[in-house]
Each structure stands twice: as structure tokens, then as C-alpha cells.
Amino acid sequence: MSRIAYVNGRYLPLAVASVNVEDRGYQFSDGVYEVCEVKGGRLIDERRHMERLQRSLSELRIAMPMSVAALGVVLHEVVRRNRVRWGIVYLQISRGVAHRDHAFPPPGTAPSMVVTARNLDLPRVETLAADGVAVISVPDNRWQRVDIKSVSLLPNVLAKQAAREQGAREAWFVDREGRVTEGASSNAWIVTRDGKVVTRQADQSILNGITRAVVLDVLAAHGLSLEERPFTLDEAHVAREAFITSASQSVLPVVRIDGRPIGNGAPGLIATALRRDFHRHAETS
Ligand code: PDD
């Protein structure tokens, strides 16, 4: 079965789906995106993803190409046409097509919108969750508005490749003060020796993850103690547990950072419980 993409009003086989060479997403990374988990053919936390999308667009002064309701119809239709059971739906909106000029194009230039969806390898992710994953640390050399979910991801690409080359699943960005900001495509968490769950506060130095928000709800429901503050790489190295969160993998335990085992080197109890209970607290649509 050929995969189908939505491109500016049309559903097309992926092989012929294309955008204009003067699309500003392609020319300048002048666009934003969202990734939503699909489970049992349904969207997880669509409402919150749409809220974050609207925020990203408004921070960059890009217009919504259609209403949130219409966007929801397109997302569900792309999931349906691609027969996604467990996987992701990807949405990208750029500032549109115009002659290449850094400043904004003329008013009225229509934003471009692309939606794709695909199944993911569920058994593989379950194995990763059972075994835990390795993380490396890299300097955080990104711009200062990473709270906007922009498609400008070059530092993330390089960090992720460095992780791959060192046999790790994720790279954690570390700021100039030696404090972890987040992963290349996930939020970063630790559990201290005295059982406190710590993750960086959602300011302009991290992407405010939707999975992160749901995990905060799960923690509250379990009565676990939480500290939203920066933690250092040194603290992470001696943590009892560590884990990462993102839409495509919910909660994944981290068992090694820079080659050093975390806790006893196996997935922690809290990370495992959060993963188990995650979907009970997430919204399905
Ligand atoms: N990444 N931080 C960064 C830099 C991310 O790219 C992501 C998500 C997150 C977690 O956000 P959420 O829980 O809303 O997925 C944090 C997506 C999945 C991606 O780029 O594929």
C-alpha cells in the first residue's frame, strides 16, 4: 500500500507529493511542526498539540492555514488513509512560497501545510523500554527560542547523529552552567537518590513537551514529589533513575549516560510506572 500525504489541500501518494522549491520551510526553515502519537488509530493529546501549534505559529507570526477543527479532520484522514494503528502523525506548516528574500513575504502569502503519518515498530520500542536506553551529553548550541517547535533542527540533527555514532538513543543538551536542558528530540528527567523527580522548568530553554505535561499529571496522581528546576549533568550521573519523554515513545528509561550506568543500570521503578500509566492520563480523539 502506498503512503499518502496531505499537501496544501490534496491527498497524494508520497512518491508524487512535493512542495515548491521556493517554499520558505525549505529555504529558511521558516516553519513549525507537531508530532502526535497515534494509538489504535486514534490521536493522543490532539488538543494540547493543537494549542502548542497555535502558540508556535503566533510566536513566528505565521497564520493558521485553516481552523483547528478542519486541521483535526485532515490529521484523522491522513491517519486513516495510511492505516496507522500505532505510530505518528506529522504536521508541518511553513510561511509559504515566495521569491527568496529573508524578510517576510507579501501579506496574503498562503502558509503551506503538509501532513504525513506512519506506523512505528511497536515491539522495538517495547524492547527499548524493557532494556532502557543510553544517552550522551553534548553542549547546547541552539538558539534561545527552542520553546517554539520550529523545523530549524540542525543542532538536534547533529546531536542525534553523535548519539547514534556512540551507540546511544538520545543526546542530552547541556547549557554553559553544566545543566541539562533537554534531549535532541525529547524532554529529560532524573529521579534523585531521595526519590524526587526533577525536570527543567518549561521556559524558553526547552520545548514544553506534551508528554511532559501528561507525565506531570501522572506524577501528581501518584503523589510523587516533583521539582521543576535545572539539574546538572553531575546530578544526572549519580541519579537513582533517569528517563526521557516524547510523543513517539512516551516514557523511556535511561540506563546509561556518557557510558556510566544510572542507578543499578536497569530501568527504574518510577520510569516504568510512569510508562505503564501514561495512556490512562492522556486524551484520545
Ligand atoms: N520531538 N524536546 C524536543 C527538542 C523535541 O523535539 C521533542 C519532541 C520534545 C518532547 O515533546 P513532546 O512530548 O510534545 O513530543 C522535547 C518530536 C517527537 C520529534 O521531533 O519527532
Side-chain angles (χ1 to χ4, degrees):
M1 186 196 80
S2 100
R3 286 178 60 205
I4 303 291
Y6 171 93
V7 186
N8 295 324
R10 297 201 292 166
Y11 295 94
L12 297 166
L14 217 58
V16 296
S18 57
V19 292
N20 193 295
V21 291
E22 289 200 301
D23 192 287
R24 292 180 61 95
Y26 178 64
Q27 296 283 357
F28 296 115
S29 296
D30 189 1
V32 303
Y33 74 107
E34 279 295 331
V35 177
C36 211
E37 182 189 7
V38 177
K39 190 167 185 280
R42 304 183 61 193
L43 267 61
I44 303 299
D45 287 313
E46 177 187 356
R47 184 184 55 82
R48 292 207 236 208
H49 281 282
M50 290 303 103
E51 281 171 12
R52 185 174 64 187
L53 172 72
Q54 287 174 279
R55 179 181 180 277
S56 295
L57 288 170
S58 107
E59 290 295 312
L60 298 180
R61 295 195 277 152
I62 299 175
M64 271 284 272
M66 60 180 73
S67 69
V68 172
L71 212 60
V73 171
V74 173
L75 292 174
H76 282 89
E77 185 60 14
V78 173
V79 167
R80 191 186 69 76
R81 290 191 187 220
N82 287 282
R83 301 200 186 120
V84 180
R85 299 315 297 163
W86 185 73
I88 50 167
V89 58
Y90 175 87
L91 160 71
Q92 180 172 326
I93 296 171
S94 83
R95 203 182 301 276
V97 176
H99 293 308
R100 190 177 180 282
D101 176 15
H102 290 64
F104 289 179
T109 303
S112 305
M113 176 170 139
V114 169
V115 180
T116 57
R118 67 185 173 98
N119 282 294
L120 293 178
D121 185 350
L122 185 57
R124 176 171 147 68
V125 176
E126 289 304 340
T127 303
L128 289 174
D131 296 346
V133 299
V135 160
I136 61 162
S137 61
V138 295
D140 195 340
N141 55 2
R142 300 175 298 164
W143 77 321
Q144 281 153 29
R145 289 306 308 277
V146 297
D147 58 307
I148 300 169
K149 200 164 171 63
S150 127
V151 292
S152 182
L153 291 170
L154 199 45
N156 311 57
V157 167
L158 297 177
K160 191 70 96 171
Q161 181 61 22
R164 272 296 139 79
E165 288 170 4
Q166 293 175 50
R169 170 90 176 169
E170 182 58 301
W172 277 6
F173 287 120
V174 179
D175 69 15
R176 288 182 183 183
E177 284 78 46
R179 305 172 313 182
V180 174
T181 50
E182 63 181 334
S185 64
S186 59
N187 288 117
W189 307 68
I190 58 168
V191 182
T192 61
R193 290 263 175 88
D194 57 353
K196 291 199 181 76
V197 179
V198 185
T199 196
R200 195 164 173 121
Q201 70 284 357
D203 54 20
Q204 292 186 355
S205 68
I206 67 164
L207 181 76
N208 191 357
I210 305 303
T211 318
R212 176 187 185 280
V214 176
V215 165
L216 295 183
D217 292 345
V218 187
L219 288 171
H222 281 259
L224 290 161
S225 64
L226 166 77
E227 288 179 1
E228 282 183 88
R229 63 164 174 84
F231 60 86
T232 63
L233 189 58
D234 290 343
E235 265 184 291
H237 282 146
V238 299
R240 186 198 283 174
E241 293 186 29
F243 56 96
I244 53 178
T245 56
S246 78
S248 54
Q249 55 198 4
S250 67
V251 179
L252 271 191
V254 171
V255 293
R256 252 186 337 277
I257 302 176
D258 295 325
R260 293 158 61 169
I262 302 304
N264 61 4
L269 289 177
I270 290 181
T272 304
L274 291 171
R275 181 176 179 82
R276 187 194 59 219
D277 292 348
F278 178 81
H279 286 102
R280 234 182 288 149
H281 293 260
E283 284 173 19
T284 306
S285 59

